Amino acid sequence: MATIGPVDKDIIASVLAAGVSKTPEKTEAEVNVTPTVKFTCDKNQKFFSELFWKPKKIPDIPVTVYNKTDWHPNAQIMIPSVNPNWIWPNETTELFALAMYCDDTTLLYGLQGTGKSDLALQWGAKLNIPVWRQSCHKQSRSEDFLGSVSVSYNKDEEGNQRMTIEQEPSLLTDSLKYGGIYVEDEAFRHDCALVLQSLREKNTRRLVLPDAPGRSAEDRVLKADRKNWRYVLTDNTQGTGDTSGMFDAQVQDASTLDRISACIEVKYLPTKGEHKLLRTAYPSVSDDQATRMIKFANLIRDMFSRQELNSTLSVRGLLSWAEKITILGSTGNGLKITWANKLTKDDLTKAADAYHQSFGEHL
């Protein structure tokens, strides 16, 4: 019997390899993203497409719609008002809807004035959901979230004085008591993440109050209603700190970041959306003025993102500028009052150049 030598084996192996057909890898656009879950609506739910538009980034998921009377009177006053000038950012709104559906600990991050908090507020306004918005800062302490302990002395039926220990409510504890969306604004500025970890944990959702005389273990634990309570954080960064020095944001540890189950960037509206917003809010601002204002704003934002400028022009700033134009009849003076006068001398020079590019006149 003939034997196969080393060279022959290599030839045979190469022939066999050449005859094997490989399935080409699919690109991201070709991957099948058809959801495996069949979504249905309960009696108090509507599909996303019924409330907004046919979604492109997510399946057509059910969204719970409340009546104002579904909530305790103490929570009804926290339902936001509808902003008639609000424009829903399509992709961001879809991703936020998915995060709310999944009961995610949701981080909305982006530059100032992009509408991070307003997204949650207008979501609550549209669906009749209370929004408990708490602003954080370096001086925020655990008592701001957990509530402070108060001691009172009262006489019993026999006239003896008795001490009563009570926990003063906070926005967070009230949100857990009554339900709604808790928004922790500027979430990465304070040092109290540790006391909030079990609440940020999606599979736990509980808040443990500090021990105190007269308080039972049951009284110390507040649990979120998984159907009617959501946790939203907002910040300028993703929790990894700020290398530019423009934001006062602290680096978060891995355990904190791991508890964030949805991270959504909120960007400025596209040009078309900002133009519509300006013309709707202030019709006296002409079409050409609005176009030039947005051109100027985009030039400023580009310089800010390249760290060539220490300030940016947000949507909030654009609206304030438009208001002053309506009153003063001058784009330049309106810009100075609302924004330009806050700049350093060097930044003002750069802004003036951008203004000349946009309006063809000196600031």
Side-chain angles (χ1 to χ4, degrees), residues 169-229:
S170 68
L171 285 169
L172 177 54
T173 58
D174 274 351
S175 77
L176 290 167
K177 181 178 181 179
Y178 300 116
I181 300 174
Y182 174 70
V183 179
E184 187 182 336
D185 266 341
E186 312 298 349
F188 301 145
R189 292 195 180 190
H190 62 81
D191 297 317
C192 305
L194 187 61
V195 301
L196 302 171
Q197 293 293 55
S198 61
L199 188 62
R200 290 177 176 178
E201 175 62 57
K202 182 176 174 178
N203 297 322
T204 306
R205 289 285 189 252
R206 67 175 188 168
L207 185 70
V208 182
L209 302 177
D211 195 8
R215 181 183 294 158
S216 67
E218 187 177 72
D219 292 335
R220 293 180 57 207
V221 179
L222 301 178
K223 293 185 178 180
D225 181 345
R226 302 303 294 269
K227 290 185 177 180
N228 300 316
W229 189 86

Side-chain angles (χ1 to χ4, degrees), residues 67-293:
N67 293 312
K68 188 175 181 179
T69 53
D70 291 337
W71 306 97
H72 188 279
N74 291 350
Q76 290 179 19
I77 60 175
M78 303 305 293
I79 298 175
S81 300
V82 173
N83 181 353
N85 297 320
W86 173 255
I87 296 176
W88 294 97
N90 287 37
E91 180 177 337
T92 307
T93 301
E94 293 177 18
L95 296 177
F96 185 73
L98 180 63
M100 295 298 96
Y101 175 81
C102 296
D103 183 25
D104 284 320
T105 300
T106 305
L107 170 63
L108 301 176
Y109 74 95
L111 297 176
Q112 64 264 41
T114 52
K116 300 180 291 295
S117 303
D118 285 339
L119 178 62
L121 287 168
Q122 290 310 302
W123 182 266
K126 186 174 182 67
L127 305 176
N128 284 315
I129 303 173
V131 178
W132 310 81
R133 182 182 178 186
Q134 183 162 356
S135 297
C136 305
H137 46 80
K138 274 188 174 182
Q139 283 70 44
S140 294
R141 297 293 177 260
S142 59
E143 292 82 6
D144 297 323
F145 301 97
L146 305 179
S148 58
V149 176
S150 64
V151 179
S152 60
Y153 294 90
N154 301 293
K155 289 184 178 181
D156 58 19
E157 295 178 355
E158 299 176 355
N160 299 318
Q161 201 171 49
R162 300 181 66 88
M163 181 180 70
T164 303
I165 299 176
E166 297 179 346
Q167 188 79 19
E168 294 292 334
S170 68
L171 285 169
L172 177 54
T173 58
D174 274 351
S175 77
L176 290 167
K177 181 178 181 179
Y178 300 116
I181 300 174
Y182 174 70
V183 179
E184 187 182 336
D185 266 341
E186 312 298 349
F188 301 145
R189 292 195 180 190
H190 62 81
D191 297 317
C192 305
L194 187 61
V195 301
L196 302 171
Q197 293 293 55
S198 61
L199 188 62
R200 290 177 176 178
E201 175 62 57
K202 182 176 174 178
N203 297 322
T204 306
R205 289 285 189 252
R206 67 175 188 168
L207 185 70
V208 182
L209 302 177
D211 195 8
R215 181 183 294 158
S216 67
E218 187 177 72
D219 292 335
R220 293 180 57 207
V221 179
L222 301 178
K223 293 185 178 180
D225 181 345
R226 302 303 294 269
K227 290 185 177 180
N228 300 316
W229 189 86
R230 294 293 182 267
Y231 199 150
V232 174
L233 302 90
T234 75
D235 201 81
N236 298 123
T237 71
Q238 298 123 292
T240 53
D242 173 40
T243 57
S244 69
M246 296 176 180
F247 304 113
D248 185 15
Q250 301 183 32
V251 177
Q252 304 298 300
D253 60 36
S255 63
T256 296
L257 295 178
D258 194 45
R259 284 169 169 80
I260 295 171
S261 48
C263 185
I264 304 170
E265 182 179 10
V266 183
K267 301 177 182 179
Y268 290 118
L269 287 170
T271 299
K272 185 177 180 181
E274 284 194 319
H275 191 280
K276 179 182 178 182
L277 177 62
L278 285 175
R279 296 282 287 124
T280 302
Y282 296 98
S284 59
V285 173
S286 70
D287 184 80
D288 181 63
Q289 278 181 313
T291 300
R292 292 176 184 273
M293 290 170 69

